[in-house]
Amino acid sequence: MAEKLPASLEKLNTEEYLLNMGPQHPSTHGVLRIILKLDGEVIKDVVPVMGYIHRGMEKMFENRKYDQIIPFTDRTDYLSAVNNNFAYVIGVEKLLGVVVPERAEYLRVILAELNRIMSHLLWLSAYGMDVGAFTPLLYIFREREEIIAMFELITGNRLTHNAFRLGGFKYDVPKTFFEKLEKFISHFADNLDEYETLLINNVIFKSRTVGVGVITKALALSYGVSGPSLRGSDIKMDVRRDTPYSAYSKFVFEIPTGKNGDTWDRCEVRMNEMRQSLSILQQAMQGFPQGDIMAKIPKIIKPPAGEVYTAVEGPRGEVGFYIISDGTEKPYRVKMRVPSFSNLSALKDMTVGFKIADVVAIMGSLDLVIPEIDR
Amino acid sequence: MTPVEILEKIKTKFPGVASTEAFGILNMETEQNKLRPLLVFLRDELNFDFMNFMTGVDRPTENIIEVVYQLFSFTTKASIVIRVKLDRTKPEIETVSDIYRTAEWHEREAAEMFGIVFLNHPDPRILLLPENFKGQPLKKDFRHPNMTPLPEVK
Amino acid sequence: MLKYIKDIITGAITLLEGMAITFKYMFQKPITLQYPEQKAQMTTRFRGRLVMPVDEEKGDNRCTACNICVKACPNYSIAVERLTDETGKPKPKAASFTYNMGTCMFCNLCVEVCPFSAIVMSEEYELAVYDRKSLIKDLVAEKYKLKGRKGKWWISKFKDEEQV
Amino acid sequence: MTAFMQFLKDLLYDSGKAFGLIYDGGHKIWAGFNLPPLTLDIIFLLIAAACAAAFIAINALFIIWFERKISARMQLRRGPNRVGIFGIFQTVADTIKLLIKEDITPKAVDKLAFFLGPLLVMTSTFMVFLVMPFGKGLIAADLNIGVIYILAVTGLTVLGLLCAGWGSNNKYSLIGGMRSAAQIVSYEIPNVLVMLTIVLLSGSMKLGDIIAAQPTVGYVWMQPVAFIIFLIASNAEINRGPFDLPEAESELVSGFITEYSGMKFAFFFLAEYTNLFIAGALGAVLFLGGWTGPVLPPFMWFMIKSYFVVFLLMWIRWTFPRIRVDHLMEFAWKVLIPIALLNLVVTAFVIKFH
Amino acid sequence: MEYGMLLAFLVFALIFVVGGVAANWLLMPHKPNATKNSTYECGVEPISDANIRYNIRFYVYALMYVVFAVEAVFLFPWAVVFKEIPGLMPLFEAVLFILILVLALAYAWKKGALKWD
């Protein structure tokens, strides 16, 4: 359609039109609005509109004490509450100069990896829904429910755990937790294989994902895409390996990567990541040390003036907290670096030229959590 | 690469940059007009290929707004923080969104939250705030009629 | 041409594998919990809502109106008023303990800081109400009785759990 | 008494004979009253149509419940189990709910097209039952162009969906309607070719003759490829399963039924499930020998076979992800149609040289 | 009688639908408001009218359908009498006819009418 049509035929040309996808749409996973410019089914332009659930988290942080901020971090990315806690807590501990006991570090790793599996499972089930397969969701929710029950044992909450405290944990682990964990590890790998056969290796699924939403290495890096979405583009990026935090340097694990940076690669990376998390869980459970669960920290937390940026590898990518302390009880400024924010910014380069159905598939493969973007 | 090595390399090209070190990360300050060449140098010569984030910090007591860029290199696993101090009454800075594309959205956010003007920005619309919102919420002196003061507890 | 046929066959095999899985699950027991009749068993640490249980030995709650929980609450959902005697001197007793469930995040911070174990998170989870006002509760007036276990079990509920 | 027993037995096993008796008896009585025989014929016609309507309504209610139960079992759920035993009256309750719900007609819609949508869809679905052989002699009209009639009437559905899609004046509906039109016409062709193969084998377009011509096991053993193509193509034609693009929930919200509510929505719903049954029934008639079978009454056999095919379609639906629209079209034109054509030619050759 | 049945079915189908909608209209509450009567587009105001000149892609399929369906309909009479006519003549005639269909398909395939973009 490149050549100019004569004026008399101009009216016969297909019309490009704008379509709102969201804020209330079944597959935007939250209150995200995407304005699509379409020619028939083919996408010509994508404009994400955000901020529908902007809560001013960063402003709120400035008005809360250091230990009060932890429950708020749960609520930015509600699917990986523990990893958000993690990033914030190690930041403040760095400022305070607190050394966390090993037992607490191990428990943190266990919780973080469980949380990663939990988040990926939800992604897998939601992704099944996105591409039109409803059934995997209900199978996957069995396993997810098991993990939630484990979290409930330790923290008492099912989704927004508020699990970590500055310096470790408030309460020690109940014995039943490890029994459950062992049971979970024993059957999870098999179930994962089953889901892979049911969904990921399905020929229809492959036809919808292979070669769709390709993002090149250089572009992904430039966009600051992180986590599985970046690893899908064949970059061995993992905060757990690049800048090891907590006890991660003690565990052996691989970093799965994709080859082409398409949607299927991102899916496969997540599936393999769950297997790696499972192996970390096994190692952590075997080497779980005795000792204290809480470091000695002052009653009133006043970190010395300074600033720190700490990041952890969340399920969606690099979750970072940039904390500036001015020596008072409350932080001077907290900036959250959220993975979905950068991942979503690359959406336009991934989707243009594909179809409506692909937008859903691509957005699903980025595993967006909207409250995290809006903060 | 250790922070010292990075600093030495930078000093060969940009003599006289102020820098400190905190938690093993080089923390350097530069002027507004040197920022873009510095970032291009860091990206192309020192392999800082990943921008973690970019944000602003409001410091009303010193009458400045800081712009902070954090970079990371996947090849050397090193991080670096670059900050630029802007005049708080008229904060203006050149965009870096063509050097790191992720900066485009981060700059849009910083623009609406701190009122920083990013010159030559490709898409200077608001990002998170409602369209008719007035004020820059992350400035320390921001007040809004809907804000309720927190109760004082003895 | 050969690839065309091969693609069709391998594709059909993956489809049949999927169908075998769904068929297998058809004969498994449903995992549904029939909600209003069957209810989920909550763990000891479950954070339902904040309650101020009546200590049966004391015949009253254990609150001393020390305001530590108020300071700890990130959302300012708690307000405590101290009881005063006739002369206006404050007594170590709460006259009212206003708890706003609407703004509560169920983060457990208030329970953790309470030096007297006066408050605890209960196991209730059906907390929805029709009227927003009824989310604001006065825990002192409520005189909540923790069900199920005896005495002051909640004070040591985490210590009683079997540890690794 | 024995005559009455014989009549009941006929009614069950050879309905044609029993209806013949009723028809003749009715006319004798009618002639006794000196009334013109045409009036009685009209009454009989209306009764037959009313029976079909009642069957459609009850069957749709059952099939919806059946699907909900089957999908629930496949997903480790229980499915409806509150209204009536095993929740069998759940769909009745849902229908009543839809009946007393407000039927919203948005301001921007083209009112005529908006109403024509469900009307055309439901009418075309209804009309198919004219030639549906439920049992021996249990058929409203065994037209001698039966197969073509079915193809023609189901083809009307496209118009209804296009009306709904265009008339709603909603972009999601528009995309859904367009998709469904392209999809249904594309999959009509493999379906036509498959039916052509069956007609080739049986030598008649009458559904009754097709059933009679089949060996005891049905054509499915002679034409397994045709059966698979039929399953896929009819699944696509009724917009279900991995081919539910016109109403693809995660992409188009609800496609062409986005703006519909109340009874108009119910008619789309009803038509979808009735079409599902029609697909099952056609599969039973064309490939599984229709109502033939030992011991049980023909009607029972027909229903069992139909529901078996319906179950296959449900199984497919609840297992697979949704196909993308371009793959869908390519699959029809590049895979199904060549195979169906090849199958047709091979069948013709085998018939001639066998 | 048979086509009378067809008419009866048609009449009944129309009664069925119109009656259903009418019953619904009688039973339902009538409380329209502006929000309810607006077009749904994910909770925001629709950007533009939906009656647009749509992509040609879909109409191409309809055209191809006409070609194939009409030819297939011509084949039905042949299929009915195929067994009864002796000799190989009907077979070869039909194969020739189908070959033309295949050629049409191959042409469309080659021309890219089956490709989406």
Side-chain angles (χ1 to χ4, degrees), chain D residues 50-195:
Chain D
C51 286
F55 176 80
I56 288 171
I58 293 167
N59 187 56
L61 291 183
F62 179 75
I63 206 168
I64 292 168
W65 172 85
F66 185 65
E67 162 134 60
R68 290 169 78 167
K69 271 294 189 201
I70 288 289
S71 64
R73 292 306 307 196
M74 281 183 180
Q75 298 168 344
L76 297 169
R77 296 185 286 123
R78 282 176 200 274
N81 63 351
R82 296 289 159 126
V83 191
I85 186 162
F86 297 122
I88 190 113
F89 294 123
Q90 183 65 49
T91 36
V92 179
D94 289 348
T95 316
I96 293 169
K97 185 202 81 173
L98 283 173
L99 195 64
I100 58 175
K101 246 184 134 111
E102 182 168 1
D103 183 359
I104 299 161
T105 311
K107 238 199 230 125
V109 302
D110 181 338
K111 288 218 171 57
L112 181 67
F114 193 68
F115 179 69
L116 270 182
L119 184 77
L120 278 173
V121 170
M122 197 60 222
T123 311
S124 64
T125 310
F126 194 96
M127 298 292 279
V128 178
F129 282 85
L130 181 68
V131 292
M132 201 54 84
F134 289 100
K136 200 175 179 186
L138 200 60
I139 178 167
D142 201 354
L143 301 181
N144 53 6
I145 50 158
V147 172
I148 290 191
Y149 173 80
I150 289 176
L151 289 172
V153 166
T154 49
L156 271 177
T157 317
V158 183
L159 287 182
L161 299 187
L162 269 179
C163 274
W166 186 265
S168 293
N169 200 356
N170 177 319
K171 281 168 223 154
Y172 289 111
S173 303
L174 176 72
I175 302 170
M178 284 297 178
R179 275 184 180 185
S180 74
Q183 174 180 341
I184 291 177
V185 297
S186 294
Y187 279 85
E188 188 95 19
I189 295 165
N191 230 349
V192 169
L193 292 173
V194 163
M195 288 186 186

Side-chain angles (χ1 to χ4, degrees), chain A residues 164-179:
Chain A
F164 293 7
R165 298 290 179 275
L166 298 174
F169 286 85
K170 179 77 179 174
Y171 307 114
D172 211 334
V173 210
K175 198 177 176 187
T176 39
F177 173 77
F178 281 98
E179 288 161 9

Side-chain angles (χ1 to χ4, degrees), chain A residues 78-341:
Chain A
Y78 48 81
L79 294 180
S80 67
V82 167
N83 280 295
N84 286 316
N85 285 175
F86 212 154
Y88 172 75
V89 162
I90 57 175
V92 181
E93 278 160 5
K94 231 178 190 177
L95 278 174
L96 280 169
V98 170
V99 179
V100 180
E102 209 189 1
R103 188 178 170 88
E105 296 275 39
Y106 266 68
L107 188 55
R108 280 180 177 184
V109 168
I110 289 177
L111 290 188
E113 292 307 314
L114 271 179
N115 195 220
R116 190 185 317 282
I117 294 177
M118 184 170 127
S119 169
H120 282 350
L121 282 179
L122 189 90
W123 159 80
L124 183 61
S125 54
Y127 197 58
M129 296 269 280
D130 281 347
V131 296
F134 187 72
T135 307
L137 174 110
L138 288 131
Y139 299 161
I140 291 161
F141 263 52
R142 286 180 307 173
E143 265 80 58
R144 189 162 181 273
E145 185 59 36
E146 267 182 74
I147 301 177
I148 288 178
M150 279 188 254
F151 273 114
E152 211 184 306
L153 265 177
I154 286 202
T155 66
N157 256 13
R158 293 166 65 84
L159 204 60
T160 47
H161 313 294
N162 184 21
F164 293 7
R165 298 290 179 275
L166 298 174
F169 286 85
K170 179 77 179 174
Y171 307 114
D172 211 334
V173 210
K175 198 177 176 187
T176 39
F177 173 77
F178 281 98
E179 288 161 9
K180 281 201 168 179
L181 185 60
E182 216 160 322
K183 202 178 140 231
F184 173 75
I185 289 172
S186 67
H187 70 76
F188 183 60
D190 292 340
N191 289 5
L192 214 53
D193 292 343
E194 204 172 83
Y195 303 147
E196 204 158 13
T197 339
L198 183 62
L199 189 65
I200 305 280
N201 286 336
N202 189 308
V203 66
I204 300 175
F205 184 86
K206 273 193 171 173
S207 75
R208 285 201 58 177
T209 49
V210 174
V212 170
V214 182
I215 187 157
T216 57
K217 259 187 194 185
L219 205 56
L221 272 178
S222 181
Y223 267 119
V225 175
S226 56
S229 308
L230 184 61
R231 287 191 281 273
S233 298
D234 199 16
I235 296 171
K236 259 196 179 351
M237 169 269 177
D238 195 322
V239 186
R240 292 176 290 178
R241 186 63 64 76
D242 296 339
T243 48
Y245 52 94
S246 193
Y248 273 109
S249 49
K250 287 173 192 152
F251 301 112
V252 186
F253 60 95
E254 278 165 27
I255 303 167
T257 51
K259 276 203 184 69
N260 310 315
D262 59 11
T263 309
W264 195 78
D265 278 342
R266 292 193 277 273
C267 297
E268 190 61 19
V269 163
R270 283 202 178 84
M271 293 302 281
N272 288 331
E273 228 174 270
M274 280 194 258
R275 299 198 171 94
Q276 293 304 323
S277 292
L278 201 63
S279 116
I280 295 176
L281 278 178
Q282 263 164 339
Q283 294 169 41
M285 204 173 72
Q286 270 151 21
F288 197 69
Q290 292 294 329
D292 283 337
I293 197 92
M294 187 75 168
K296 282 215 158 46
I297 58 158
K299 238 194 176 129
I300 294 163
I301 296 154
K302 274 188 185 173
E307 58 178 66
V308 70
Y309 174 75
T310 46
V312 303
E313 181 67 25
R316 266 154 282 280
E318 182 181 327
V319 187
F321 276 85
Y322 176 63
I323 306 162
I324 302 178
S325 160
D326 60 350
T328 57
E329 272 190 312
K330 293 171 180 173
Y332 185 76
R333 165 108 173 88
V334 179
K335 157 81 184 170
M336 277 194 81
R337 191 257 183 229
V338 283
S340 294
F341 186 81

Side-chain angles (χ1 to χ4, degrees), chain C residues 5 20 24 37 41 73 90 108 115 122 125 136 145 147 159:
Chain C
I5 294 168
K24 187 188 90 189
E37 291 95 39
Q41 185 60 47
C73 182
N108 212 25
S122 80
Y125 54 88
I136 302 169
K145 284 201 175 60
K147 280 173 231 107
K159 283 163 206 142

